[in-house]
Amino acid sequence: MKSRSASGKEAIRAIDDYVRHKNGKLESVANALRRLVKKTLPRSREAVNAWGIPTFNFNGPLCYMMQGKQHLTLGFMRGTSLADDAGLLEGTGKNLRHVKLKEIEQLCDANLRQLLLEAAALNENAFDALDAGEEKSRVVGPLCATDVLNPAGSGR
């Protein structure tokens, strides 16, 4: 069986196609999620795993994105290790947890950004970066209207 994995520009094109063809109703949510991850973790990279699923990498696999009929799933590889004080995560597996996204406005929740930051910290074993109160507040503040909801000039 041929692997469908991709990275770099090839992955970006593959994810663009995935988002465009999978479920048109969720295309704006998927693209806004991609912008959110990029704004929250600028060093993250989009990739496609061997099963053809869009992923975000940050010192290894960080999370994945799957479009369903009714929602977009943002899954975390180490979801059971995330604090998730807001109770956004769902799932019962040994490691994976996910958030179901139906509306673009859900991406404005600072708790979702916090999950991304915690997952990145797990990948680099650097929780110290999250302990500096001023830095944490600056990073976790709302991103919404200008960065996530408005695709103009935001890039991926």
Side-chain angles (χ1 to χ4, degrees):
M1 181 174 164
K2 184 181 176 191
S3 172
R4 298 186 302 186
S5 63
S7 60
K9 290 182 181 180
E10 183 182 342
I12 291 170
R13 282 191 297 273
I15 295 170
D16 286 344
D17 288 344
Y18 174 90
V19 166
R20 200 171 18 259
H21 295 102
K22 195 72 172 171
N23 182 344
K25 293 185 290 186
L26 294 171
E27 184 175 352
S28 62
V29 179
N31 285 327
L33 173 61
R34 294 170 76 186
R35 288 189 297 276
L36 174 67
V37 173
K38 198 58 161 162
K39 291 286 184 177
T40 304
L41 301 166
R43 293 183 313 152
S44 66
R45 297 291 175 252
E46 291 182 329
V48 176
N49 69 16
W51 299 277
I53 298 170
T55 64
F56 301 96
N57 295 335
F58 185 88
N59 294 328
L62 178 74
C63 56
Y64 63 90
M65 173 180 76
M66 290 178 56
Q67 282 183 250
K69 291 181 181 180
Q70 303 298 321
H71 64 271
L72 184 74
T73 299
L74 172 63
F76 292 90
M77 292 7 172
R78 297 178 178 179
T80 56
S81 298
L82 300 175
D84 188 29
D85 295 332
L88 298 177
L89 294 172
E90 300 180 36
T92 58
K94 184 176 178 181
N95 294 308
L96 297 177
R97 291 292 181 272
H98 64 274
V99 178
K100 292 179 181 174
L101 303 167
K102 297 179 181 181
E103 304 288 332
I104 211 168
E105 291 76 20
Q106 289 176 271
L107 299 172
C108 297
D109 188 340
N111 295 301
L112 185 61
R113 292 187 62 220
Q114 185 61 36
L115 289 174
L116 290 167
L117 291 168
E118 287 181 34
L122 281 174
N123 274 14
E124 63 182 355
N125 287 328
F127 284 105
D128 294 345
L130 295 177
D131 286 342
E134 299 84 11
E135 182 67 16
K136 186 175 179 181
S137 326
R138 184 184 66 74
V139 173
V140 178
L143 246 186
C144 235
T146 57
D147 294 318
V148 176
L149 299 179
N150 181 6
S154 62
R156 282 192 199 110

